[in-house]
């Protein structure tokens, strides 16, 4: 289904705190992910900078505020800004989260989980179709962490995710850390979860490290990738047509970039064991 998409390899989230290190170590970084909202409806100078970055690396825009689960039309200014960004960096695909971040007239400021229900599936599918009509690039949705199941949910997380991916005909950005933490917090087998979703739709993976707080795992993107996450990643790349893997770090950046470089190299070694690793983006 996604066989024609290019293999990007192993990349890192582009953050200002490590921007200089990324450029110094570019030979060990295959691609970069940028937060889409940092470049939506911004000055021409900022768009020029991200376009120049796209000359050094393939760039994937990763949205955090599309709010695909909100039962209102997507703001026209947001879609126009996203279209402009995508036209400037020409990514092979773009991504956002399966969640909601807004209600009419108010921004929540966080990735909020959705009710696992038929009604919400209809909302999400309709909004995905709206996005796809406007932007002629493959669109991926990412699974998020959630710390309680929304009241009124009728389906399991895996059932909910599967039905959306298939009804909306989109790919999956599978956040392996989120999967691991949800499995620990909610007491399910992550391998069984993986066996019950359409792995053929997995295009990209996120790897990150969180923290344990008050008996719960918290998705903080502030620590090295956990060994359990790398173990799950190996199972996924052995069983799904993964095209790209990303190391995410958003805070608590290490004093030396070597720590992040080691994670990139470790992920790349796993990827090479199971996938054809021929860089193919132009």
């Amino acid at each position: 289904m996604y066989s024609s998409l290019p293999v990007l390899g192993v990349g890192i989230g582009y953050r200002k705190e490590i921007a200089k290190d990324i450029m110094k170590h570019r030979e060990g970084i295959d691609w970069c992910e940028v937060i889409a909202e940092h470049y939506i409806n911004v000055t021409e100078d900022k768009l020029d900078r991200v376009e120049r970055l796209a000359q050094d690396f393939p760039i994937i825009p990763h949205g955090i505020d599309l709010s695909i689960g909100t039962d209102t039309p997507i703001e026209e200014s947001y879609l126009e800004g996203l279209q402009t960004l995508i036209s400037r960096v020409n990514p092979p695909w773009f991504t956002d989260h399966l969640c909601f971040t807004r209600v009419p007239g108010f921004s929540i400021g966080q990735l909020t989980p959705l009710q696992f229900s038929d009604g919400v599936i209809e909302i999400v599918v309709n909004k995905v179709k709206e996005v796809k009509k406007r932007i002629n690039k493959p669109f991926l949705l990412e699974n998020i962490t959630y710390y309680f199941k929304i009241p009124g949910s009728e389906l399991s997380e895996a059932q909910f995710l599967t039905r959306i991916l298939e009804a909306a005909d989109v790919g999956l950005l599978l956040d392996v850390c989120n999967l691991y933490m949800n499995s620990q917090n909610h007491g399910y087998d992550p391998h069984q979860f993986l066996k019950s979703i359409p792995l053929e739709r997995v295009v990209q993976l996120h790897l990150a490290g969180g923290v344990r707080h008050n008996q719960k795992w918290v998705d903080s993107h502030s620590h090295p990738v956990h060994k359990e996450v790398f173990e799950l990643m190996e199972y996924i790349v052995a069983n799904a047509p993964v095209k790209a893997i990303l190391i995410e770090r958003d805070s608590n950046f290490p004093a030396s970039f070597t720590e992040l470089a080691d994670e990139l190299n470790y992920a790349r070694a796993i990827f090479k064991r199971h996938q054809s690793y021929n860089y193919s983006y132009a």
Side-chain angles (χ1 to χ4, degrees):
M1 181 181 300
Y2 297 98
S3 59
S4 63
L5 291 177
V7 176
L8 297 190
V10 179
I12 196 164
Y14 188 81
R15 304 292 185 265
K16 63 181 181 180
E17 294 87 348
I18 54 173
K20 291 181 179 179
D21 286 315
I22 287 173
M23 300 310 294
K24 288 178 182 177
H25 295 83
R26 70 181 72 181
E27 71 283 351
I29 299 170
D30 298 325
W31 63 283
C32 286
E33 180 185 84
V34 299
I35 301 300
E37 285 73 11
H38 292 175
Y39 303 96
I40 290 177
N41 300 324
V42 295
T43 63
E44 189 69 19
D45 178 64
K46 198 163 186 180
L47 283 170
D48 287 343
R49 289 201 297 272
V50 75
E51 187 171 353
R52 288 195 296 271
L53 184 66
Q55 296 171 6
D56 292 304
F57 304 98
I59 297 295
I60 301 295
H62 181 52
I64 58 174
D65 203 22
L66 179 62
S67 200
I68 202 73
T70 302
D71 191 13
T72 57
I74 300 170
E75 293 180 9
E76 181 64 24
S77 62
Y78 184 97
L79 277 176
E80 288 179 355
L82 182 58
Q83 283 180 297
T84 299
L85 170 61
I86 287 173
S87 71
R88 296 291 286 266
V89 301
N90 189 29
W93 61 81
F94 67 105
T95 69
D96 208 296
H97 298 81
L98 183 55
C99 69
F100 74 99
T101 59
R102 304 182 187 190
V103 296
F106 185 74
S107 176
I108 299 171
Q110 67 176 26
L111 306 178
T112 307
L114 300 172
Q115 184 188 74
F116 301 155
S117 67
D118 291 336
V120 173
I121 290 172
E122 183 177 1
I123 291 168
V124 172
V125 170
N126 287 338
K127 291 191 75 169
V128 168
K129 290 179 179 178
E130 181 184 353
V131 173
K132 290 171 66 177
K133 283 180 183 178
R134 294 288 296 272
I135 300 175
N136 188 28
K137 291 283 186 180
F139 182 32
L140 315 182
L141 288 174
E142 178 185 355
N143 58 304
I144 70 164
T145 50
Y146 61 99
Y147 302 105
F148 60 92
K149 195 170 184 179
I150 301 298
S153 293
E154 305 156 351
L155 306 166
S156 69
E157 180 189 358
Q159 290 170 327
F160 179 72
L161 179 62
T162 296
R163 286 183 52 185
I164 286 174
L165 295 175
E166 293 179 345
D169 192 21
V170 290
L172 177 60
L173 163 50
L174 181 54
D175 191 306
V176 188
C177 183
N178 291 351
L179 168 59
Y180 173 70
M181 291 183 179
N182 285 343
S183 72
Q184 296 300 299
N185 289 341
H186 300 288
Y188 64 76
D189 181 351
H191 289 92
Q192 190 59 46
F193 177 96
L194 291 168
K195 290 174 183 177
S196 62
I197 65 171
L199 287 178
E200 70 275 9
R201 291 185 179 271
V202 177
V203 175
Q204 182 185 325
L205 303 181
H206 272 178
L207 307 178
V211 295
R212 192 164 174 80
H213 180 69
N214 290 336
Q215 308 301 314
K216 291 284 187 180
W217 280 102
V218 178
D219 178 30
S220 63
H221 296 180
S222 60
H223 287 74
V225 178
H226 309 291
K227 66 179 181 62
E228 295 89 350
V229 172
F230 275 124
E231 289 167 358
L232 279 174
M233 174 212 151
E234 179 147 21
Y235 175 86
I236 295 163
V237 296
N239 290 279
V242 176
K243 301 293 186 178
I245 296 168
L246 187 90
I247 300 295
E248 282 191 298
R249 184 69 74 92
D250 290 326
S251 63
N252 191 30
F253 293 96
S256 171
F257 193 79
T258 300
E259 180 181 309
L260 295 174
D262 288 346
E263 290 186 326
L264 288 163
N265 290 333
Y266 189 69
R268 186 175 291 113
I270 295 172
F271 198 17
K272 286 182 175 180
R273 280 205 295 270
H274 298 282
Q275 299 280 6
S276 174
Y277 191 86
N278 296 315
Y279 176 78
S280 58
Y281 187 66

